[in-house]
Amino acid sequence: MSDEVLLTPEHPLVVSPGPHLHAAESTAKIMWWVNGTLAPAALWGAFVFGPKALVVIACCVAGAVAAEWGCCAGMKRRNTVSDGSAFCTGLLLALTIGAQVQWWQALLGGAFAVLIGKVIFGGLGFNLFNPALVGRAFMMATFPLAMTSGWISPRPWFSLAPDALTTATPLNVLKEHGLAAAVKVVTSPEGLWNGLVLGFRPGSIGEVSVVLVLLGGAVLVARGIIRLWIPLSVVAGTALATAFTGAAGLHLLSGGLWLGAFYMATDYVTSPTTRNGQVVFGLIIGLLTGLIRVYGGYPEGICYAILLANTLVPALNLWFRPRRTAIAGSPS
Amino acid sequence: MSATATHGSVKTFGKGGIHPGPNKGMTSGKPIEDIPPPKEVRLPLVQHLGEPATMIVKKGDLVRRGQKIADGGATGAPLHATISGKVKPLDRYPHPTLVMSQAIVITRTEGEGTEELEFPEDPAWRGVSREEALERIREAGIVGLGGAAFPTFRKLTLPEGVKLDTLILNGAECEPYLTSDYRIMLAHPVEIVEGAMVMARILGVKRAIIGVESDKPEAAAKLEAAAAGAERGDVKIEVGMCQARYPQGAERQLVHALTGRVMPARALPSAVRVLVQNVATAVAVHDAVRYRKPLLDRVVTVTGPGIREPKNVRVPIGTLLADLVAFGGGFHKGVTRVVAGGPMMGRSLPRLDIPVIKGLNGLVLLTGVSPFEGGYGPCIGCTRCVEACPLGLEPDQVSVRVEAGRQLETEPFGAIDCYECGCCTYVCPSSRPLVQFMQVAKASLRRAGELRIRK
């Protein structure tokens, strides 16, 4: 082979500035990892609450994805459905609501979450609020009855019992009837373990299995997708705010606390960018969650706690700067 | 005199940095090879920032390898013929960083009058005065061989009132793929230690630390042995092991790791009584003071998936990259980018009729589509860049403001301090050109500062 052949690249050389290497990570990859780690909790929800849960999940996801796709097409923008973020919004929304919600309500909720929660701000990366929680807040305002009552009783998948078998969630009981009643519920036949840990209890589809939510969160931490600062401070804040009620343990094990702490509060776009900011953000969420649960009109508080804390993120980003390794004019 | 070289514990800088997969295995086991003398060398009059050198030979002159052919004046470094041959008329040629620049071209001729100049040892070299040593370093045309290429005699001439206590030799070589410094440390540990002592005497410091990354234990062992065996006077030479982590070889990071001292923002290492020189520069300093030998060659790592036989090559300065690629067996199929320097901070070149300049430490040939070719997405606020920045800056906040045309609002996020290591861009899952956003912000902030001063 002649020198000339050896020296001629087949294509023109690309001129570009450094760096010329890139970590094997992409936004889509991160989003699909999040979706993947949510799958066990979602499937468990479907197992506990029956086919209706699957319908709700499918409709939320379909609504969210359709909204994303429609907006991209309508605005003639690059189609961003494949980045997995709309799917993630739909899935997260489904996990925060009960299986008793109607399919069309779920569809609307998913679409609202993406449209109003994300697209009108400019799309992925520009929204101020967690889109899934925007969707949930919308559904709470629009379909309050369906969202807060008629909780489907947990039951085996193949049971022939009618769907009408409804009950109250542990937090409902705590809110309405006080600590003693709630303790009776969770220590009753279903038991602490079955009810609060395994998830055989009424509640939102994705929150009932604390174990599976924690497992998913642990994978995200191990994979370097999220840091523990936010979840830990959320849980610490909630424990702090509910400690005086004597029901901190119950608060920590029920409701959507873990799903919120690991999957909503850690949303990259709507959380602070520095570690100290993240800790303060998490504590605020935890404290607000406790306050809303104890004094608020709803038994659950994490959704609004996160949405409220989202409004503080731009300020937290300004107040908490990373420590620079070079301090102006201060030789050691 | 007892040996004082110590291993110590593995040290590193405060925060940030990345582990970009070293890829050094392609060439780390390969000793330095000499390239056959090229048919032609092109020596750009500009080898570094500052005053260009002035040609002191005429077209048609026969020059001998080692002969001075251009002088650098008070601020620049002189240039020497790196092969023996005939001088062509001065003209403009492609340059690795300036696009085009004036270069002296020598075409190789052999025969009488073109024998290589010889550089016999000066038996009294250890006893030369500071001034004489500096003059020999200047005459040899030595510039920093780590990449920045600042004239070494100027760096070693301390401004009035500056007092140092430590000389650091940079053998960290943290860029992926590059192994030229590593092979130099293996091949010339004694010259590195001697060069360090020459520089320590010039600077009047009693302590020199050779910083080596912990993935190069053989180099550290050889340097330690050399340091232990050297006649050191009262200069203490140590080998400091640093964590293998990019950008460990950046001055600010290396100084922090080895001395625990934090350089103030926008300051030189002298602010914390330290001066940093590359290990290859130390070898050149040794050669210059001991033999009055000018800087004629440098070691370049020619590597990457796009070259047939990756190598560490000693080449005469001015050798065309095409000769270097040919010596490496030519391209593998699918070459898309030829990067001058390391893949993190180097820039890719459009052509190969470009000469090796004094500051070039590697040529990395990459295949496939550039990871940034597909465009970039929005900032998703993942904070990876904030965590990766070794300076504690916020590339995310800077980038969104630059995108919005609000460069002047990036001041609180530290764009002005960015030294462009590229860690942020490497980790960004949205493939955002964060380091380029930092550059834009930095330029705007500087310009605004200048305007303020003028008013």
Side-chain angles (χ1 to χ4, degrees), chain A residues 6-23:
Chain A
L6 285 175
L7 287 177
T8 310
E10 312 78 300
H11 308 288
L13 293 175
V14 176
V15 180
S16 56
H20 304 275
L21 302 177
H22 192 254

Side-chain angles (χ1 to χ4, degrees), chain B residues 284-306:
Chain B
V285 163
H286 163 265
D287 292 351
V289 174
R290 186 168 185 173
Y291 303 103
R292 291 194 181 87
K293 184 176 179 236
L295 181 68
L296 301 177
D297 308 304
R298 73 150 301 143
V299 181
V300 182
T301 304
V302 186
T303 184

